[in-house]
Amino acid sequence: MIETTTTVPAASANDFVVQDDTSAGIARARDTARAFADSLEPALPTETAQTLVLLVSELTTNALRHGGGRYTMGLDAAPDTVHISVSDASPSAPRVRAPDLRGGTGGCGWHMIRRLACGVAVTRGPGEGKTVHVHLPR
C-alpha cells in the first residue's frame, strides 16, 4: 500500500486536517491531535488533551477498519469546545455491538467514544460517505 498521509492547511490557525489510508497514519493522527492540543490557548486540561488523543485514535481506527480504508480527520476549537470530525467513504453509520473481550475483534470503541464525548453526531457526506462529529468540553 502506498502511504498517503497528508496534512492539509486549514481554515484557521487552530484547525488541523489529516488525510490517510494506512494503519501507520493512526499514530500520525494521534501526534497531530497532541500538536493541536498543545497549540491551544488557553491550554486544555491534561485529562481533556489525553481524551482528545484517545478519541482521535478510536475514530480514525474505526474509519480505516470499517469506513472504506481512507479517512479525513479535522480538529478545531471554539471557546467552549474542541471538535473532532472524521469522514470516510462508507455510508453506514457506526453501530453499537457487543465488545469482544476474548477474540480481539473489538467492539469497545464506539461505546467509549459516546461515553467520553459531550456530543456525538453522524452526518452524510462528503459524497456517499459520512462524517462523525465529536465534541469535548474545553
Side-chain angles (χ1 to χ4, degrees):
M1 178 177 278
I2 297 174
E3 194 171 292
T4 58
T5 299
T6 308
T7 302
V8 179
S12 78
N14 283 340
D15 295 349
F16 286 63
V17 177
V18 173
Q19 298 174 329
D20 202 289
D21 63 358
T22 67
S23 58
I26 304 304
R28 286 187 289 275
R30 287 191 300 267
D31 291 344
T32 299
R34 283 185 199 96
F36 171 75
D38 290 346
S39 76
L40 295 176
E41 288 294 331
L44 292 177
T46 301
E47 184 176 327
T48 303
Q50 292 171 343
T51 300
L52 172 70
V53 172
L54 177 60
L55 289 171
V56 161
S57 185
E58 288 298 325
L59 289 163
T60 55
T61 298
N62 286 352
L64 193 62
R65 288 181 74 192
H66 308 292
R70 179 165 185 77
Y71 63 85
T72 300
M73 176 195 74
L75 301 168
D76 63 84
D80 296 333
T81 63
V82 175
H83 176 238
I84 307 164
S85 63
V86 177
S87 301
D88 62 49
S90 172
S92 299
R95 63 182 176 84
V96 174
R97 62 186 179 114
D100 178 6
L101 302 177
R102 296 180 190 210
T105 62
C108 298
W110 190 238
H111 293 282
M112 184 175 15
I113 290 164
R114 292 174 49 219
R115 175 133 191 195
L116 292 174
C118 69
V120 177
V122 180
T123 60
R124 292 183 186 235
E128 307 246 339
K130 68 176 167 306
T131 301
V132 178
H133 303 272
V134 174
H135 296 271
L136 288 174
R138 279 189 76 159

